[in-house]
Amino acid sequence: MPRQFFVGGNFKMNGTIKSVTDIVTNLNNAKLDPNVEVVVAPSALYLLLVREHLRKEIEVAAQNVYDKPNGAFTGEISVEQLKSSGINWTLLGHSERRVILQEDDKFVASKTKAALDGGVSVILCCGESLEQREAGKTIEVVNNQLKAVAAEVKDWSKIVIAYEPIWAIGTGKVATTEQAQEVHAAIREWLKKDISPEVAESTRIIYGGSVSEKNCKELAKQPDVDGFLVGGASLKPAFVDIINSNQ
Ligand code: PEP
């Protein structure tokens, strides 16, 4: 079965009630390719607002979730709280959390397990820094990030892998189609060898890092690019063009 094209929008810590409502209205009125699975991730504060007003065929994701069920964890959000709010997805392992908040591979893996166990699907982010790329360590870094998850998780059917080279995020410096395809193919090869050929065939591997309405069509043509995780451009009307880039 062909992999369904997937486009995620990561609003990060952006927006107000007014601007997030405008984005929702824009998406509600847009003509979207019905073959694309779309998931948007507003700030935690706006999850309920977006879930209530956004057209139902678009899913809503948290940008993070904690790995404990409940208790004295000030500022955190549980998987059960997401589920009870109609939020069926979460991002995990975004490089901004790995770098700024120092989340390591093990913690990301533990949160991935908690999310999946609680019925929340995961957009699992991975990717290398510029220094690691220049040292020829891209594949090793990405594989290690995924191996940590494989140690905790057996079922990959509710995971979308987002390859996001750190040097391309929010910089306007997009990976070339060759660079993206090379790493996506290597991730698929790793899935084939370390998990199973079936999981390798069915898992969506999406690209993130300065995706725009200008570069998305070429990237979408790559055989192992199954969609995008979009940051900055998901706040703009052009997000619709990115969603429709596989047509
Ligand atoms: C992201 O935050 O996941 C991202 C890819 O950001 P941008 O599209 O702005 O580079």
Side-chain angles (χ1 to χ4, degrees):
M1 221 174 60
R3 295 180 291 271
Q4 187 183 15
F5 205 73
F6 184 104
V7 177
N10 175 15
F11 297 177
K12 314 193 192 201
M13 197 179 73
N14 289 305
T16 58
I17 288 185
K18 163 87 178 75
S19 67
V20 169
T21 303
D22 287 348
I23 294 171
V24 167
T25 305
N26 184 50
L27 287 171
N28 286 347
N29 293 334
K31 196 165 181 310
L32 302 180
D33 181 345
N35 300 314
V36 179
E37 187 170 5
V38 183
V39 178
V40 294
S43 319
L45 191 58
Y46 300 138
L47 285 169
L48 282 171
L49 172 86
V50 173
R51 183 56 294 161
E52 188 181 344
H53 296 290
L54 188 62
R55 61 206 278 184
K56 296 301 169 245
E57 67 268 34
I58 301 183
E59 287 278 354
V60 179
Q63 295 176 12
N64 184 37
V65 74
Y66 203 50
D67 64 347
K68 304 287 186 295
N70 53 49
F73 303 107
T74 303
E76 294 296 330
I77 294 177
S78 74
V79 174
E80 187 185 22
Q81 288 170 333
L82 291 183
K83 278 304 274 187
S84 70
S85 305
I87 308 302
N88 299 317
W89 283 84
T90 186
L91 301 183
L92 284 173
H94 193 283
S95 62
E96 286 150 17
R97 297 201 64 87
R98 290 182 189 265
V99 175
I100 303 167
L101 294 154
Q102 299 183 1
E103 295 189 359
D104 63 14
D105 294 350
K106 235 177 148 232
F107 188 39
V108 173
S110 173
K111 294 198 291 185
T112 303
K113 179 175 172 15
L116 296 173
D117 286 352
V120 169
S121 300
V122 175
I123 301 172
L124 175 64
C125 305
C126 58
E128 82 288 2
S129 66
L130 187 58
E131 202 184 2
Q132 289 163 333
R133 171 161 284 267
E134 285 172 348
K137 292 193 167 148
T138 298
I139 308 295
E140 182 189 328
V141 168
V142 169
N143 283 356
N144 285 339
Q145 290 169 338
L146 297 175
K147 269 183 201 161
V149 172
E152 297 278 345
V153 162
K154 296 290 156 265
D155 180 3
W156 285 70
S157 64
K158 299 286 191 303
I159 297 180
V160 169
I161 298 174
Y163 168 58
E164 299 205 302
I166 297 172
W167 46 271
I169 295 181
T171 57
K173 197 171 161 191
V174 68
T176 64
T177 49
E178 293 77 19
Q179 284 170 326
Q181 170 56 27
E182 184 192 12
V183 181
H184 284 226
I187 292 173
R188 208 173 299 288
E189 193 51 36
W190 174 81
L191 285 171
K192 191 172 166 190
K193 281 215 216 94
D194 276 41
I195 311 296
S196 75
E198 293 74 28
V199 168
E201 199 48 44
S202 59
T203 301
R204 271 87 58 88
I205 305 172
I206 62 175
Y207 169 79
S210 297
V211 173
S212 71
E213 71 282 15
K214 296 196 182 76
N215 55 36
C216 57
K217 273 203 174 281
E218 275 312 299
L219 284 160
K221 283 187 199 146
Q222 301 305 306
D224 288 295
V225 174
D226 303 314
F228 302 113
L229 182 56
V230 185
S234 68
L235 302 166
K236 301 178 187 156
F239 185 47
V240 170
D241 299 326
I242 300 173
I243 293 171
N244 291 337
S245 60
N246 199 38
Q247 278 176 328

